[in-house]
Amino acid sequence: MVGRDTQLTRLAAFVDTVPARGQVLSVLGDPGIGKTTLLDWAAHRATSAGMRVLRATGRESEAGLAFAGLHQLLLPVLGAVADLPERQAQALLGALGLADREAAADRLVTGVAALTLLSDLSGQAPVLAVVDDAHWLDRSSLELLTFAGSRLGAEQVGLLLAARGHSVPAGFDRGFAELRLGPLPAGDAGLLLSRQARPPRGRARAQVLAQAAGNPMALVELTRVIAADPAASRRWAVEPLPPGDRLTAVITARFSTLPEPVRAALLRAAVADGQDLRSAASGIPRLDVEALAPAERMGLVTIDRTGLRFSHPLVRSAVYHSAPFARRAAVHREIARALDDQPDRQAWHLASASPQPDEHVAALLETTAAHARRRGGAAAAALTLERAAELSPDPRDEARRLVSAASAAVTAGQGDWVQDLAARALVITADPELRLTAGSTAGWALAYSGRLSAAFASLIAVAEEAAANFPALAWEALADAATVAYQAGAPAGREAVSRVLRILKRRHPPSPDASPREAWILACTDPFGRGRELVPALRRAAGAPLAERDLWRIGSAAWLLDESGLAVQLLQDAMGQLRGPGSRGASGGGLTTLGWLYTDTGRWDEALEAAAEAADLGEANQMGMVAASAAAVTATVLAMQGKSAAARKHAERALATVSPAESGLIAARARRALGLAAMAEGAHFLAFTPLRQLFSAEGVPVHNIFSYAGLADIAAAAARADRRGDGRRLLEYAVGRLDNAPSARLAQLIARARGILADPADAGTHFAAALTDPAGDQWPFERAQLRLDYAEWLRRRRRINEAKPELLAALETFRRLGARSWTARAEAELRASGIVTPAAQDAVDPLAELTPQQGQIVRLAAGGLTNREIGDQLLLSPRTVSSHLYRSFPKLGITDRHQLRDLIRRKDT
């Protein structure tokens, strides 16, 4: 290759590094710029080094077929799927349409299955997966490759993909490496031209260089044209075309010189590109390899024992689009007749042959979309339904299918697409229920992606309009609007929800089916005022059989009302249902709520596990709010454990994932974590800044619930940063805005804050009053902080004997939780009180230095599970599990997994 030394050096380094660590590289550039040639070079280098190379090429004809690209990539190694854990094998085969029975989709398990398969293969030899024309890859495959690509660090697997243009394919903009190809410099372009078999000279040479503009493929193809027709260059002067269009025109001109039978065979090959070419060849007699020999000699196609391939995607595209629509349509229908055993592909060929609405084809596509959705191809299902809508003769069917497409696109995480589909449905339908359903779907899609203001406006409008005649739709939309209002945390949203709730209850009092929705709505809008009224109703509902979504709602309502025990019971029951096949994508919200519950109730290991699972789901299903909430849970636990640097990293990730201006929930949670991280380091002045931002200058909470959770932290930071006056003013402003009596938890936090900021003579009254309520024991970290502050006050008042039991109780809790900074404070206070605590090394948690995921893996390994069993349970590849264990052993002071059981037993006792 000429002029690509730098790029070849980088590709060589990429390929050579794969045996040491997994990585991803995207090659970007214009058509004909050399991407395919570079990928071929890299594949050859990998093969020569003994690596296994898997290849796939994105095709326009397969963009609407769920997992078509993944099937193409894994086709040579599908026999190895049988060695995967059973649920992973079933998920992967189901996604590819190869399972014996159709099962519900699980995109996360499917992604891990593909990763595990690649990992297993790399145990035999490093693997290089090469994907050309990724811009045409079906979105389901692209999402899965993105998911796997982000987890290749411990694998001997490389993912190399090429895409047209200068933007990486969706999902690959998350920090993956890129290699951008530009035009060849003038000197290299001239050198490449001179190396052609019959290079042009004189004026023709100058015109070829000018027309090609440094594009290697254009240089080669234009040279061939000049060699065959020296007069061609004169026509270019009056036909100024961009290089890409010129290249297509040149290929078309070459193709048009072939005899008609050859052109006909090429067109059939172009229409039946890829899998259909192999499947349909026996049913299309005129697709004769011998007939294509002239095209092969011309370099348009390559034919070998693996079949027929076009020499370049532009060649296939030029051949396809050079034929009139009627001729292309006839070939599509011809191929469709040969695909009776593949109804999904058959439907798309018939759709490509339909110039006008056709209900039969639209119905076939609708069935295809249902198959795609069950296999986990939400984006493919949405695309198929969109095309079905376009082919629907009846506007009612068109609108219905557009709304269905919008619903499918929600779970694909495509908010803008959902909006477009819903808007198009609204234009063509007057059906009120369908219009409201479209609006509700569009609103929830916006919430999915973190655009809360727009989501709330859409959902509240639907709820208000539906209240007249569609109560079930109104209750559902209002419950969703309440969820968005809870995420936003602003007063205007809560007021609007309350207003529509009054209208809805007046017109349609809630049925038993709607009561969990009403409880959730009330908990979101007025948790402090409605507690006494709602808790008995929640307890009654907990004893009744409920669907998972209603379990999630009343469980979350119990959590917001500080009924922690009831909330854990209900949410664990809900998660038991949500973790079933096909439901995991819906479980993200439940997992983050459980994460917060576990955090509050001192089950920090479980909180980190729930957050890690939620983070995976958020990424796999493109749920920004879930991902941000998971990061905030992790940040908070790590901050309380004293792992400040890691906590800040997760908190900043949460703030970057969802706009803090849109989500008061994320703003409050992440800023509190930042404050706790600074306090753990003793940097109280730095802690006060993010904690102060939980409220406005006037004491208005950024979030109506979770800003108040930071009141005691604000007071502690203010007292230690010599900002007592600011802390007192903010505390009284904030408490003064509470219209009702606080819950037991909030009362304890307020009492602690007042004790910290009070004059020394008065502080003890606040601390002691809070400790008299046994309900505060539900929140062990907060209770231990209260005991520590009270004991410090007692010791400074020389009431040592009263301080000691409080200090010992606080120390026991801090040690059990692994709250290192607070443990150190309690130990210092005890020493000052004359009590010598056990040596620090005797109290250290051996798992404290591990990441949350490493801690999960270590515990499971200690229980006797193999790497493969652990990977299946945690949805990781076995090699990733092995890598985590390898990095964990030095931190634990052990050398092999047989020592884990004793270590964990000592830790737990």
Side-chain angles (χ1 to χ4, degrees):
M1 280 178 282
V2 174
R4 298 299 189 200
D5 291 346
T6 301
Q7 291 82 358
L8 290 174
T9 299
R10 186 168 175 193
L11 269 181
F14 173 82
V15 172
D16 296 347
T17 307
V18 167
R21 61 182 177 86
Q23 52 192 320
V24 179
L25 178 64
S26 299
V27 182
L28 306 172
D30 293 330
I33 207 69
K35 301 185 297 297
T36 299
T37 304
L38 285 173
L39 261 59
D40 289 343
W41 183 91
H44 177 74
R45 184 181 183 91
T47 302
S48 299
M51 298 170 65
R52 182 193 291 269
V53 176
L54 303 175
R55 300 200 66 161
T57 300
R59 299 185 174 100
E60 292 173 282
S61 59
E62 296 183 340
L65 293 170
F67 298 108
L70 182 68
H71 185 276
Q72 186 187 158
L73 185 71
L74 299 182
L75 184 62
V77 295
L78 285 179
V81 173
D83 297 327
L84 295 177
E86 184 177 359
R87 67 166 177 164
Q88 293 184 28
Q90 288 302 311
L92 185 55
L93 291 174
L96 300 178
L98 301 174
D100 294 334
R101 63 185 185 279
E102 194 171 73
D106 193 325
R107 280 195 284 177
L108 184 56
V109 177
T110 303
V112 173
L115 178 61
T116 302
L117 178 62
L118 293 172
S119 178
D120 287 352
L121 293 170
S122 71
Q124 305 164 18
V127 174
L128 179 65
V130 180
V131 180
D132 204 356
D133 284 327
H135 53 280
W136 281 333
L137 209 64
D138 66 278
R139 191 177 292 272
S140 303
S141 296
L142 201 59
E143 289 174 355
L144 191 143
L145 289 175
T146 306
F147 176 82
S150 64
R151 289 160 172 75
L152 291 181
E155 312 298 338
Q156 291 182 296
V157 178
L159 174 57
L160 178 63
L161 56 90
R164 183 177 297 180
H166 299 282
S167 297
V168 293
F172 282 90
D173 54 352
R174 304 175 186 173
F176 294 121
E178 299 172 14
L179 176 59
R180 297 178 180 273
L181 299 183
L184 293 176
D188 290 326
L191 179 60
L192 177 60
L193 193 58
S194 297
R195 290 185 177 180
Q196 301 309 301
R198 296 171 60 188
R201 304 193 182 281
R203 183 169 178 270
R205 178 184 177 89
Q207 284 188 295
V208 168
L209 289 169
Q211 288 289 329
N215 185 296
M217 186 176 181
L219 282 164
V220 173
E221 293 296 333
L222 294 174
T223 296
R224 289 174 176 170
V225 171
I226 289 289
D229 179 10
S233 64
R234 291 195 294 272
R235 294 194 298 272
W236 298 342
V238 294
E239 296 175 0
L241 293 173
D245 292 343
R246 171 68 67 201
L247 190 51
T248 300
V250 166
I251 295 170
T252 302
R254 292 177 59 211
F255 162 67
S256 65
T257 64
L258 292 168
E260 168 55 28
V262 182
R263 296 203 305 273
L266 271 178
L267 178 60
R268 285 176 173 80
V271 171
D273 189 27
Q275 181 174 326
D276 294 345
L277 183 60
R278 295 184 292 274
S279 301
S282 59
I284 307 176
R286 284 173 289 175
L287 195 56
D288 186 355
V289 170
E290 292 184 7
L292 290 168
E296 185 178 20
R297 287 193 294 271
M298 191 178 281
L300 297 174
V301 296
T302 300
I303 304 172
D304 56 26
R305 60 183 178 81
T306 63
L308 179 147
R309 298 186 307 279
F310 283 93
S311 60
H312 194 279
L314 278 177
V315 175
R316 184 259 172 195
S317 181
V319 170
Y320 181 85
H321 291 289
S322 67
F325 174 80
R327 191 171 180 188
R328 297 199 307 268
V331 177
H332 276 296
R333 285 191 289 268
E334 191 175 16
I335 292 172
R337 286 193 291 272
L339 294 172
D340 287 334
D341 61 334
Q342 299 183 54
D344 294 350
R345 291 177 177 273
Q346 185 180 59
W348 269 107
H349 277 290
L350 291 173
S352 298
S354 301
Q356 56 192 11
D358 184 322
E359 177 56 29
H360 171 67
V361 177
L364 289 175
L365 286 172
E366 193 166 17
T367 301
T368 290
H371 293 160
R373 202 164 186 177
R374 283 193 291 270
R375 288 161 49 198
L383 185 65
T384 305
L385 284 164
E386 183 179 24
R387 180 61 177 141
E390 294 168 354
L391 291 173
S392 301
D394 189 329
R396 290 173 296 183
D397 288 329
E398 181 183 1
R400 175 179 59 79
R401 285 164 176 153
L402 282 171
V403 172
S404 295
S407 176
V410 167
T411 53
Q414 305 296 313
D416 291 340
W417 191 13
V418 174
Q419 287 288 95
D420 175 66
L421 292 165
R424 286 159 57 191
L426 292 171
V427 168
I428 61 174
T429 184
D431 181 284
E433 187 171 11
L434 201 55
R435 291 179 62 85
L436 290 168
T437 303
S440 180
T441 300
W444 193 235
L446 290 165
Y448 242 81
S449 56
R451 294 155 64 184
L452 301 184
S453 297
F456 183 79
S458 179
L459 289 166
I460 202 70
V462 168
E464 190 165 12
E465 188 176 347
N469 299 306
F470 304 102
L473 183 55
W475 276 108
E476 193 65 26
L478 190 60
D480 287 342
T483 301
V484 176
Y486 147 75
Q487 292 168 340
R494 300 195 305 277
E495 292 165 5
V497 170
S498 298
R499 176 180 57 79
V500 177
L501 177 62
R502 289 192 294 272
I503 295 171
L504 186 55
K505 288 181 69 174
R506 188 168 61 248
R507 293 180 178 176
H508 305 282
S511 65
D513 288 343
S515 58
R517 298 171 197 161
E518 183 187 17
W520 170 242
I521 293 166
L522 292 172
C524 287
T525 53
D526 188 15
F528 303 131
R530 296 286 189 150
R532 292 187 179 87
E533 164 191 341
L534 283 176
V535 170
L538 292 177
R539 294 189 182 280
R540 288 193 299 273
L546 292 171
E548 51 81 11
R549 196 165 190 191
D550 287 335
L551 271 174
W552 178 87
R553 281 174 172 148
I554 64 170
S556 298
W559 168 57
L560 294 182
L561 298 171
D562 289 332
E563 291 293 320
S564 298
L566 176 62
V568 168
Q569 170 198 330
L570 292 169
L571 284 171
Q572 286 180 335
D573 288 347
M575 290 308 302
Q577 295 184 35
L578 280 168
R579 282 193 171 98
S583 301
R584 292 178 61 88
S587 67
L591 276 168
T592 54
T593 304
L594 260 181
W596 286 119
L597 259 171
Y598 290 148
T599 302
D600 296 341
T601 54
R603 298 161 65 171
W604 289 358
D605 288 343
E606 292 170 274
L608 292 173
E609 290 170 10
E613 187 176 351
D616 281 344
L617 282 166
E619 180 183 349
N621 296 281
Q622 301 182 48
M623 297 183 291
M625 280 300 303
V626 170
S629 295
V633 172
T634 304
T636 302
V637 174
L638 293 176
M640 293 188 298
Q641 289 178 330
K643 301 175 182 179
S644 299
R648 276 191 286 270
K649 178 181 175 183
H650 285 279
E652 287 161 2
R653 180 181 300 165
L655 292 170
T657 302
V658 175
S659 168
E662 286 273 279
S663 175
L665 184 155
I666 297 302
R669 289 297 203 178
R671 287 170 182 162
R672 181 178 178 232
L674 290 171
L676 286 169
M679 290 178 71
E681 295 175 324
H684 298 105
F685 185 82
L686 292 177
F688 186 72
T689 300
L691 290 170
R692 176 65 184 80
Q693 292 173 347
L694 298 180
F695 294 86
S696 73
E698 295 77 26
V700 178
V702 167
H703 191 275
N704 63 305
I705 302 170
F706 301 121
S707 286
Y708 287 95
L711 279 176
D713 302 315
I714 294 171
R720 290 171 174 81
D722 199 22
R723 302 285 295 273
R724 285 180 177 272
D726 292 340
R728 287 191 189 112
R729 283 190 294 273
L730 177 59
L731 176 62
E732 296 312 317
Y733 284 155
V735 173
R737 290 184 173 276
L738 293 172
D739 296 328
N740 298 282
S743 66
R745 182 184 184 188
L746 182 55
Q748 176 173 273
L749 290 171
I750 292 172
R752 178 179 167 230
R754 282 181 167 153
I756 291 169
L757 295 171
D759 292 334
D762 303 325
T765 303
H766 298 291
F767 294 137
L771 284 169
T772 60
D773 186 354
D777 290 329
Q778 295 178 73
W779 307 286
F781 181 67
E782 293 168 6
R783 191 70 157 185
Q785 287 179 302
L786 173 64
R787 291 184 185 280
L788 176 58
D789 289 332
Y790 185 34
E792 287 177 338
W793 179 84
L794 288 169
R795 189 183 67 78
R796 284 161 178 73
R797 307 291 288 183
R798 301 185 182 281
R799 295 162 60 177
I800 305 295
N801 289 334
E802 294 175 70
K804 287 178 181 178
E806 302 296 345
L807 285 171
L808 288 169
L811 178 61
E812 188 278 328
T813 299
F814 291 141
R815 282 181 170 174
R816 175 173 57 82
L817 295 175
R820 292 182 296 185
S821 297
W822 285 267
T823 296
R825 269 184 59 198
E827 289 173 343
E829 284 294 320
L830 278 165
R831 285 194 297 274
S833 301
I835 296 178
V836 179
T837 58
Q841 59 266 28
D842 295 336
V844 168
D845 179 357
L847 305 186
E849 297 302 319
L850 304 183
T851 68
Q853 195 166 71
Q854 287 171 345
Q856 286 179 279
I857 291 168
V858 162
R859 284 185 172 277
L860 291 172
L865 272 65
T866 66
N867 289 358
R868 201 166 192 78
E869 291 168 336
I870 296 169
D872 187 45
Q873 183 165 328
L874 299 183
L875 297 174
L876 301 168
S877 76
R879 190 182 294 275
T880 298
V881 173
S882 175
S883 176
H884 278 304
L885 284 173
Y886 178 79
R887 293 198 297 269
S888 299
F889 288 168
K891 298 179 183 179
L892 298 172
I894 61 177
T895 56
D896 63 57
R897 68 193 301 144
H898 299 295
Q899 298 170 273
L900 285 174
R901 183 172 300 174
D902 290 341
L903 184 145
I904 295 298
R905 186 183 296 117
R906 289 197 304 271
K907 188 264 182 187
D908 290 341
T909 55

